Each structure stands twice: as structure tokens, then as C-alpha cells.
Amino acid sequence: MNAQPNWMFLTRKYEFPASHRLFNPDWSDDENARVFRQCNNPNGHGHNYDLEVTVKGQPDPRLGMVVDIYALDQIVKRVILDRVDHKNLNVDVDFMQGLIPTAENIVWAIWHELAPHIPAPAQLARLRLVETRNNFAEYRGE
């Protein structure tokens, strides 16, 4: 059993608190309130998000891992966490501009920010954003 597997997956979990307001500027206040209910609070509301980052690749024989975990942690911190931690996603986060900050849109936007920074030959395989214990979104690329 000396052969390395073709693909392995490594998942790291990160946390960040952030606030947002679900609001479509093309709709009336009444329609926004009807569709987004309490998430449409004009002053916003917050979550303690969990972000799971899964990379795939063949384990590096020198490391025994798909990617150096420390390097991955530093990339996620610099590219994502430093930009979203304790921020208002509607106002403070450049890559969220023009998007309604639903869990689905947040995880999609994070993918597009993070994917180019994953050190080759590893690749981003999956993101899972947990907003509440009952609500999460997952994205696996195009």
C-alpha cells in the first residue's frame, strides 16, 4: 500500500462575526419587509458565521497533506477573514457590493475571491458557510 491516492480532500473551519441587511434596492420597503421579514431590519443584524474551506489534491509526499495547513490558514485570513470579520457585509466589504448578502451570495463571492489564491497543485473544492444552525449554503464552483 505504497501508492498515493489520486485525490484527497482537506477541510479547515474558520469563524467570523459579521452583520448584514437583506434588502433589494429595486423593491419597495413593503416588498422587502414581506420577503426578507426580520432580516430586512434597516439597522441590520449579525451572525457568527462558520466557513468551511475544502481543498483537493494529491497529498504532497513531503508533507503528507494536500496543502500546508499553516499556509492555507494565512491565505484565508488575508484574503477573506481580515476583510469580513466584524464588518457590515452590505457596506464594508468590497467584493459584496451589488449583491444581496444572503448565505448563497456570500459563499459564492468568497469562492471567487479565494480560489485564485489556493497554492497549486491543490484546488478549492468546496465552501460551506453556516449562518445559523438551521441555515447554510454550499458552493463547489462552476
Side-chain angles (χ1 to χ4, degrees):
M1 194 147 149
N2 293 339
Q4 288 266 339
N6 286 335
W7 289 105
M8 292 292 293
F9 296 86
L10 172 71
T11 300
R12 296 286 287 169
K13 183 177 175 182
Y14 307 92
E15 299 174 354
F16 66 93
S19 65
H20 67 156
R21 177 186 183 203
L22 299 186
F23 176 82
N24 185 330
D26 295 331
W27 295 351
S28 68
D29 289 342
D30 288 342
E31 186 166 10
N32 274 291
R34 182 182 59 75
V35 171
F36 296 122
R37 294 171 289 286
Q38 72 270 16
C39 296
N40 179 247
N41 180 342
N43 295 317
H45 66 284
H47 298 282
N48 291 317
Y49 291 96
D50 289 329
L51 176 66
E52 296 176 10
V53 176
T54 302
V55 294
K56 69 178 180 178
Q58 186 172 21
D60 181 323
R62 299 168 299 141
L63 294 172
M65 296 182 282
V66 172
V67 68
D68 179 319
I69 291 173
Y70 177 77
L72 181 61
D73 289 349
Q74 295 305 305
I75 290 165
V76 172
K77 181 182 183 317
R78 177 178 48 83
V79 175
I80 302 302
L81 299 178
D82 287 349
R83 296 164 70 193
V84 298
D85 186 52
H86 285 87
K87 301 290 195 255
N88 180 320
L89 300 175
N90 299 79
V91 177
D92 300 324
V93 180
D94 61 340
F95 65 84
M96 290 300 303
Q97 296 306 301
L99 295 173
I100 299 170
T102 60
E104 296 93 320
N105 281 338
I106 298 166
V107 77
W108 178 85
I110 289 173
W111 177 284
H112 290 283
E113 290 296 307
L114 185 58
H117 298 277
I118 301 300
Q123 300 170 14
L124 190 56
R126 177 186 74 105
L127 290 179
R128 183 175 190 233
L129 184 72
V130 179
E131 187 175 64
T132 70
R133 70 176 184 204
N134 296 321
N135 190 52
F136 56 89
E138 189 171 295
Y139 188 65
R140 297 178 186 207
E142 303 303 327

